[in-house]
Amino acid sequence: MPIPDDVTGDEIDKDVRQELQSLPKGLAEEVSRNLVMVARLIDEDPEGAYAYSRIALRLASRVAAVREAAGFAAYASQKYSEALAEFRAARRMTGSVDLWPVMADCERGMGRPEKALEMAGAPDVQKLDKAGQVEMRLVAAGARRDMGQLDAAIVTLQSPELASHSVQPWTARLRYAYADALLAAGREDEARDWFAKAVESDKDGSTDASDRLAELDGVEFVDAMAEDENDSEAGSVREADRGIQAEVDDVDDVDDVDEVDGIDDEDLDDAEDERDDERDDERDDERDEDGAEERGDDKDAPRG
């Protein structure tokens, strides 16, 4: 697949670049450029990111960073079985537990929420940093919801991190998940409060909490572009109506009517001349008949 010329490969994280040093220089550059494309596309074009990840994987399957990138690209494309296989491979290479929550979420994606809950209770969770533990809590709550256990999902999300007033990178998502679980359980007033708190902490717009809050408040959004298009169409119709009216108003005599209707003026003059000739002939015939009566001419009288 083509890679833009402005992508050099130097854009990747220094830790990943260090991993790629085990490869020949030319190969390392090619792999790094494909990894840059994965990072660029993974949010907006997951399938495109996946395609680039497969190229990098074919070139350097023994590099843990490549396996991890391939896993995330597959995960974003909802290829959960494939993603889980790549994450497991990366974990074997590095021995890190950082991928444990996303591996559990792959189990959810494959329709195995019980397995995800089992992973949430594993000792490896204690080795995660705070962000990883919060992520694991989100996955566990999602698994509870998958199983129809709404109350358990709500309890799972109730934690010191949720109650904290400090805003961390995970705060908005945690509050959003809690609000969504409350709403699913029919606790609308509480859900509204927590969606509002999620909005307060969501500085980079990582969730649609503001839209959910507006929906609960009964606010309807109008598509400004669609409204402008409708106004433009209505304006065009009104302009056309004015143009037609102007043409009608300009028709003050027969010649104007003929022009609007597409009748040629010369044809009209010829028709007028023909009618004048017919009237002259009729008047001549009448004069001839009157003269004959005065002379006593009777066409019906017997001839001598």
Side-chain angles (χ1 to χ4, degrees):
M1 292 182 65
I3 298 177
D5 294 336
D6 65 327
V7 176
T8 64
D10 293 335
E11 301 89 342
I12 62 174
D13 184 82
K14 64 178 182 179
D15 292 336
V16 177
R17 189 161 55 246
Q18 187 173 355
E19 279 193 62
L20 295 177
Q21 287 180 354
S22 61
L23 303 174
K25 184 177 180 181
L27 180 59
E29 181 180 340
E30 188 173 355
V31 172
S32 63
R33 294 181 74 209
N34 278 280
L35 292 181
V36 171
M37 293 305 298
V38 173
R40 280 191 179 186
L41 298 177
I42 196 163
D43 291 329
E44 301 298 329
D45 182 12
E47 290 297 334
Y50 176 78
Y52 282 107
S53 76
R54 300 308 295 176
I55 296 174
L57 190 61
R58 187 172 66 249
L59 296 172
S61 62
R62 294 186 179 182
V63 177
V66 173
R67 302 301 291 262
E68 185 175 326
F72 278 110
Y75 179 81
S77 302
Q78 299 183 3
K79 299 176 176 64
Y80 298 115
S81 177
E82 188 174 329
L84 182 58
E86 298 300 339
F87 289 142
R88 283 174 174 169
R91 184 168 181 267
R92 284 195 300 270
M93 292 177 181
T94 63
S96 172
V97 298
D98 291 347
L99 295 173
W100 194 253
V102 71
M103 290 170 62
D105 207 39
C106 286
E107 296 286 359
R108 283 187 61 213
M110 295 165 63
R112 301 196 295 241
E114 298 89 351
K115 179 62 177 177
L117 285 176
E118 181 183 329
M119 292 179 67
D124 283 343
V125 175
Q126 303 305 317
K127 302 176 185 178
L128 295 169
D129 60 13
K130 181 61 68 176
Q133 290 180 6
V134 170
E135 194 65 36
M136 193 71 250
R137 191 177 291 277
L138 288 168
V139 173
R144 291 291 185 187
R145 292 189 62 173
D146 293 342
M147 298 167 66
Q149 300 173 3
L150 286 175
D151 290 339
I154 291 171
V155 172
T156 299
L157 293 169
Q158 292 171 346
S159 62
E161 293 80 17
L162 179 67
S164 175
H165 294 293
S166 65
V167 175
Q168 302 295 333
W170 61 78
T171 302
R173 293 179 58 238
L174 185 59
R175 290 177 176 178
Y176 181 94
Y178 188 59
D180 194 44
L182 288 169
L183 187 62
R187 295 160 61 175
E188 186 171 315
D189 291 340
E190 293 174 81
R192 191 211 171 280
D193 291 341
W194 280 98
F195 275 127
K197 291 178 181 179
V199 171
E200 291 174 2
S201 57
D202 193 3
K203 304 303 181 183
D204 58 355
S206 61
T207 73
D208 65 345
S210 59
D211 292 341
R212 300 292 300 276
L213 181 61
E215 184 180 348
L216 287 174
D217 288 341
V219 177
E220 293 185 6
F221 293 98
V222 177
D223 190 334
M225 292 185 65
E227 193 172 62
D228 288 344
E229 289 177 1
N230 291 335
D231 290 344
S232 177
E233 291 176 2
S236 298
V237 170
R238 288 194 295 270
E239 189 66 30
D241 289 343
R242 283 196 292 271
I244 293 172
Q245 187 62 46
E247 288 185 358
V248 173
D249 291 342
D250 287 341
V251 178
D252 293 329
D253 51 35
V254 174
D255 290 338
D256 291 331
V257 173
D258 297 336
E259 184 177 351
V260 171
D261 290 345
I263 299 174
D264 188 82
D265 289 341
E266 186 175 346
D267 293 339
L268 184 61
D269 292 340
D270 291 342
E272 288 288 343
D273 291 341
E274 290 179 7
R275 285 196 293 273
D276 290 342
D277 291 340
E278 290 176 359
R279 284 195 291 269
D280 290 341
D281 292 340
E282 289 176 359
R283 282 195 293 271
D284 290 341
D285 291 341
E286 289 175 358
R287 283 196 295 270
D288 291 342
E289 290 179 2
D290 291 342
E293 289 179 0
E294 290 175 359
R295 292 191 303 272
D297 235 359
D298 188 353
K299 62 181 179 180
D300 294 330
R303 296 184 180 273

